[in-house]
């Protein structure tokens, strides 16, 4: 059964890129406002307000914020019951302290285009977090390189697992529902309404698309949930994937999340102008020859 | 012992003793004794220190040949500080002194280093078994306020070690016991209870009975109304591990008052300067030389205390096969508890990565490339550890490889390699490092990682199981041998742990394709079992912390041990199943 071809136009990709930039602008703006004493709930609510005021009309999920060892999904948040649907993921009353790592994760939809991003930081300093964020660069190259080589998505995910093992990190994205490294994102109809229904903090329209993909994928031999298991043992499926490697070291977790565009014979990150790439460039980690590669 | 001079402090004259001669550029060291001692308690230590320094000791007011004040208030800390100031003024007018103090001498010197009277007159402070009363009061208050039962229990434990302080507040009690014969008994009490051989002091009756006033004049007052006492001076605290009168936990909050702090341990009772004068002199010299502008030795660097003290702070842990799997997790588990760690691995990059991760946990970490199958390399490694870092406190002989296949398919070369890596390395590692611990008088731990395979015969793992069984027996014998040296041997028998060893195991007697298949199968089965290396690491840490001789990790290890002990026929039956299929 043939996998779907990439149906998005250049204009569509521009729309997705715009909303991904909005999502990262949201994370950066709120992160700059964060102060010790704020709770995860307060920060998540600020992110939601920001996105609404910038014209977001729906979401894949409402904003998440994790502080301290919750970034590494330690404790109750790490339990994997119900295939990983764990209410402890939802923003809690944990208060931010100095030098405590945090992760912000939001997935707004605007005019039918959805992004899903992850952003981490700290008020103060945290050497373990810095190291994790530096090392996260290798994963960004690894994933896109292996997809370009047309390795199966399960093999790519297993390669990520092996890199975690080499680095001495836990692959904490295994705590996400269905242990996903990535999930698919589809374009929604732009119906002009200012707001759409969310259930249990997940956008109904986006989750419905995911379910439709699941049914269609079962028929065609692919899965919209990309993990290390047999269900992902298929060639890279053209389309948009929100990829989210999430690393944990003792009580500190870090991640980024970006949209990966997979075409019939190529793959590329939707946007290189994202905070983590800018950070790697600032720190002199970004390899010199990638300009050619990315082009 | 006759005083070399007397120094006047107020209307009292103090007996001062000196060793060596002062010279420009030579540091001056002042020794302050505790209760119920006199300056003579320092004799041996002073003689050693005098080889390099000008050494001064004096009898604290009321003790030895110094005058006795006529009222209790004269024993208040400010007068004791004044005495010290006068002695320093008289004996070292041109340069600040290095203080080395024990017990009450240390308590009163905390007052000297944290108040203004002697500002600029003290260069460094080595404190043994005597905390600041004010610090102790804050320590008690913060624990009682924490509401944690565990913290309160620690306070109760310390108070039970300080029973005599309460008793000394009673009228008559303290002086009376000294006058009623305790003075004569004191040397034999020290020898029986503390195991130290002290000469009878001619002034023992006076030292014991008059000195009770030190407690009466200061304790209650300070404990009830403590003041914040801080100092920027370099301070080295030496903890006597088996001190009956003080718990090291009392020093937990010290960095909050003392930013320049080093903390070290001696495995000894309260009177370290009598039982271990060489060690005390060596530690004092190391610190004095460093403060005087010398290099910070590795031992000192490890003793540096910043922030919260953790249970393993100051300890050195060596892990072979520290670059991955159980080894890396064990290394990190000890690092998380504050230990300095050394990762030895055949893969240097992997060892360096482990060390780097350990450094993220704020400890010193080192990586060395070692092929544990090579005698020369293990010997060179042990040598390096001893000369660069000193004898380790914990050695985890963990490096090992897997080999699966029937006995008749296993070649001599395969046997040879497996025996070297899995068994010979443990023999060497145990022997060399145990010797270092014995030489250094350390009560360390040797941890040997065996396997549940050590007691579970199976036709698919003859060579591997044989090496692990030998490791188990070796550890049992060594435990017996080292018991009298107080060095503990721990054997660890994990069940099916999901590590890199499953994908690196060689399967002999099968084709390359079949080997790949079996590796994948093993990886999958172990993955399903989901017993992680950090479970083994936690078990090892627990065994070392709680002195357990043997740990089994995973339910299967317990079941297999039970079967091997109580159902040997079943065990033999199970040996016929091919585990690798």
């Amino acid at each position: 059964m043939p996998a779907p071809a990439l149906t998005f136009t250049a204009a569509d990709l521009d729309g997705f890129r715009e909303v991904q930039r909005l999502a990262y602008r949201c994370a950066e703006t709120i992160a700059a406002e964060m102060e010790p004493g704020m709770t995860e709930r307060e920060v998540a609510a600020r992110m939601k307000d920001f996105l609404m005021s910038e014209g977001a009309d729906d979401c894949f999920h409402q904003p998440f914020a994790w502080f301290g060892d919750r970034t590494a999904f330690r404790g109750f948040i790490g339990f994997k019951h119900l295939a990983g649907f764990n209410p402890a993921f939802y923003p809690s009353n944990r208060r931010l302290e100095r030098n405590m790592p945090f992760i912000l994760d939001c997935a707004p939809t605007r005019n039918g285009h959805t992004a899903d991003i992850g952003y981490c930081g700290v008020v103060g300093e945290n050497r373990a977090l810095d190291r994790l964020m530096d090392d996260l660069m290798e994963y960004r190259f690894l994933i896109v390189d292996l997809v370009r080589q047309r390795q199966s998505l399960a093999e790519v995910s297993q390669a990520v697992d092996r890199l975690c093992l080499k680095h001495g990190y836990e692959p904490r994205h295994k705590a996400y529902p269905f242990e996903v490294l990535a999930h698919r994102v589809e374009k929604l109809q732009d119906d002009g309404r200012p707001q759409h229904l969310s259930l249990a903090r997940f956008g109904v329209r986006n989750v419905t698309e995911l379910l439709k993909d699941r049914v269609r994928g079962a028929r065609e031999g692919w899965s919209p949930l990309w993990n290390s298991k047999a269900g992902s043992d298929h060639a890279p499926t053209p389309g948009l994937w929100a990829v989210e490697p999430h690393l944990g070291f003792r009580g500190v977790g870090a991640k980024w999340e970006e949209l990966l565009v997979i075409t019939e014979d190529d793959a590329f990150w939707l946007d290189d102008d994202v905070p983590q790439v800018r950070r790697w460039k600032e720190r002199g980690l970004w390899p010199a020859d990638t300009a050619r590669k990315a082009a | 012992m006759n005083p070399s001079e007397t120094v006047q402090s107020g209307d009292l004259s103090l007996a001062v003793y000196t060793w060596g001669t002062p010279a420009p550029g030579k540091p001056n060291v002042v020794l302050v004794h505790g209760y119920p001692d006199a300056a003579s308690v320092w004799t041996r230590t002073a003689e050693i220190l005098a080889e390099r320094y000008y050494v001064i000791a004096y009898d604290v007011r009321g003790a030895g040949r110094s005058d006795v004040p006529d009222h209790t208030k004269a024993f208040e800390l400010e007068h004791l500080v004044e005495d010290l100031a006068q002695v320093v003024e008289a004996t070292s007018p041109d340069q600040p002194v290095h203080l080395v103090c024990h017990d009450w001498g240390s308590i009163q010197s905390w007052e000297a280093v944290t108040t203004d009277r002697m500002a600029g007159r003290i260069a460094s402070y080595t404190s043994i078994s005597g905390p600041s009363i004010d610090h102790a009061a804050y320590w008690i208050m913060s624990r009682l306020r924490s509401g944690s039962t565990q913290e309160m229990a620690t306070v109760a434990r310390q108070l039970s070690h300080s029973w005599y302080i309460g008793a000394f507040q009673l009228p008559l009690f303290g002086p009376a016991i000294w006058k009623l014969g305790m003075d004569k008994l004191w040397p034999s009490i020290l020898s029986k209870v503390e195991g130290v051989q002290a000469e009878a002091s001619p002034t023992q009756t006076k030292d014991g009975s008059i000195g009770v006033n030190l407690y009466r004049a200061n304790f209650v007052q300070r404990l009830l109304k403590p003041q914040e006492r801080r100092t920027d001076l370099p301070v080295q605290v030496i903890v006597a591990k088996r001190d009956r009168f003080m718990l090291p936990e009392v020093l937990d909050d010290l960095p909050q008052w003392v930013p320049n702090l080093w903390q070290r341990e001696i495995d000894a009772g309260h009177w370290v300067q009598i039982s271990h004068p060489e060690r005390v002199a060596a530690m004092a010299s190391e610190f004095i030389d460093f403060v005087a502008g010398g290099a910070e030795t590795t031992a000192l660097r490890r003793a540096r205390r910043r922030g919260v003290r953790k249970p393993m702070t100051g300890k050195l842990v060596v892990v072979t096969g520290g670059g991955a799997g159980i080894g890396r997790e064990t290394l990190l588990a000890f690092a998380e508890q504050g230990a300095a760690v050394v990762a030895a691995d055949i893969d240097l990059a992997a060892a360096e990565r482990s060390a780097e991760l350990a450094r993220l946990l704020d400890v010193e970490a080192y990586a060395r490339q070692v092929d544990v199958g090579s005698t020369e390399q293990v010997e060179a490694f042990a040598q390096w550890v001893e000369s660069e870092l000193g004898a380790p406190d914990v050695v985890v002989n963990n490096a090992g490889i897997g080999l699966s296949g029937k006995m008749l398919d296993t070649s001599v070369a395969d046997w040879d390699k497996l025996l070297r890596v899995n068994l010979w390395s443990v023999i060497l590692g145990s022997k060399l490092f145990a010797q270092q611990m014995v030489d250094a008088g350390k009560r360390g731990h040797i941890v040997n990682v065996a396997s549940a395979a050590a007691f579970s015969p199976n036709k698919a793992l003859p060579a591997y199981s044989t090496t692990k069984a030998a490791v188990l027996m070796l550890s049992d014998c060594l435990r017996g041998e080292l018991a009298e040296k107080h060095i503990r041997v721990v054997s660890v028998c994990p069940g099916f742990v999901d590590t890199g060893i499953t994908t690196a195991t060689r399967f002999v007697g099968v084709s390359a394709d079949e080997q790949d298949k079996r590796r994948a199968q093993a990886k999958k089965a172990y993955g399903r079992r989901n017993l992680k290396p950090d479970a083994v690491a936690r078990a090892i840490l627990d065994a070392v912390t709680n002195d357990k001789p043997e740990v089994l990790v995973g339910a299967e290890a317990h079941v297999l041990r039970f079967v091997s002990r109580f159902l040997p026929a079943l065990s033999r039956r199970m040996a016929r199943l091919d585990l690798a299929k």
Side-chain angles (χ1 to χ4, degrees), chain B residues 94-170:
Chain B
D94 304 326
Q95 53 169 310
V97 298
H98 297 270
L99 291 177
V100 179
C101 311
H102 178 246
D103 187 81
W104 248 101
S106 172
I107 295 177
Q108 68 179 65
S109 298
W110 273 113
E111 186 75 4
V113 297
T114 56
T115 52
D116 291 338
R117 172 65 182 89
M118 292 191 66
R121 304 297 299 130
I122 301 170
S124 81
Y125 176 35
T126 294
S127 157
I128 310 168
S129 293
S132 151
I133 308 177
D134 301 85
H135 291 168
Y138 278 106
W139 178 83
I140 292 173
M141 286 194 303
S142 77
R143 267 143 200 81
L144 294 183
R145 278 190 198 135
S146 74
S148 144
T149 44
Q150 203 184 347
E151 299 279 14
M152 290 192 206
T154 313
V155 172
R157 250 179 344 119
Q158 173 58 47
L159 292 180
S160 75
H161 287 262
S162 311
W163 57 272
Y164 58 96
I165 297 175
F168 284 172
Q169 305 298 327
L170 302 174

Side-chain angles (χ1 to χ4, degrees), chain B residues 53-85:
Chain B
Y53 313 109
Y54 178 49
V55 183
I56 303 133
Y58 68 100
D59 291 326
V60 172
R61 57 170 62 196
R65 294 172 193 271
S66 290
D67 286 350
V68 181
D70 55 7
H71 57 287
T72 304
K73 269 184 101 59
F75 284 91
E76 283 175 355
L77 288 172
E78 60 174 298
H79 302 297
L80 301 173
V81 171
E82 185 59 32
D83 291 352
L84 176 62

Side-chain angles (χ1 to χ4, degrees), chain A residues 67-83:
Chain A
F67 298 168
D69 63 359
R70 279 170 55 84
T71 57
F73 298 142
R74 283 221 160 172
F76 184 62
I77 193 172
F79 282 147
K80 292 199 279 182
H81 46 57
L82 304 175

Side-chain angles (χ1 to χ4, degrees), chain B residues 389-402:
Chain B
L389 308 170
D393 296 275
V394 180
V395 173
V396 185
N397 291 306
N398 158 74
I401 50 175

Side-chain angles (χ1 to χ4, degrees), chain B residues 271-337:
Chain B
W271 276 274
V272 282
Q273 73 274 59
I274 303 179
S275 62
H276 296 76
E278 297 84 8
R279 298 273 294 141
V280 173
M283 283 183 178
S285 311
E286 217 175 330
F287 191 59
I288 292 166
D289 293 347
F290 163 63
V291 173
E296 187 175 23
T297 60
T298 326
L300 263 184
R301 211 166 49 238
R302 211 173 333 128
R304 183 81 205 238
R305 264 192 71 183
R306 293 184 183 88
V308 189
R309 184 174 175 76
K310 297 176 185 167
M312 289 274 167
T313 302
K315 298 272 163 65
L316 178 67
V317 179
V318 172
V319 183
T320 68
I326 293 172
R328 176 180 277 175
E329 286 301 325
T330 304
L331 189 92
L332 294 176
F334 279 105
E336 203 164 41
Q337 296 295 310

Side-chain angles (χ1 to χ4, degrees), chain B residues 35 163-164 167-168 171-186 189 204-205 208-209 212:
Chain B
Y35 173 88
W163 57 272
Y164 58 96
F168 284 172
L172 302 176
F173 172 77
I177 58 167
W178 288 101
K179 286 173 186 158
L180 292 172
M182 180 106 134
D183 50 346
K184 304 281 181 305
L185 285 172
W186 189 242
I189 291 176
Q204 191 66 61
T205 322
S209 59
V212 166

Side-chain angles (χ1 to χ4, degrees), chain B residues 19 30 34 45 57 59 71 81 93 97 104 115 183 193 206 304-305 337 368 370 422 439 473 480 522 531 572:
Chain B
W19 291 262
V30 174
T45 315
D59 291 326
H71 57 287
V81 171
V97 298
W104 248 101
T115 52
D183 50 346
V193 181
K206 175 188 168 199
R304 183 81 205 238
R305 264 192 71 183
Q337 296 295 310
R368 303 294 289 181
V370 183
N422 283 12
D439 293 345
M473 178 53 79
L531 183 60
R572 282 192 286 275

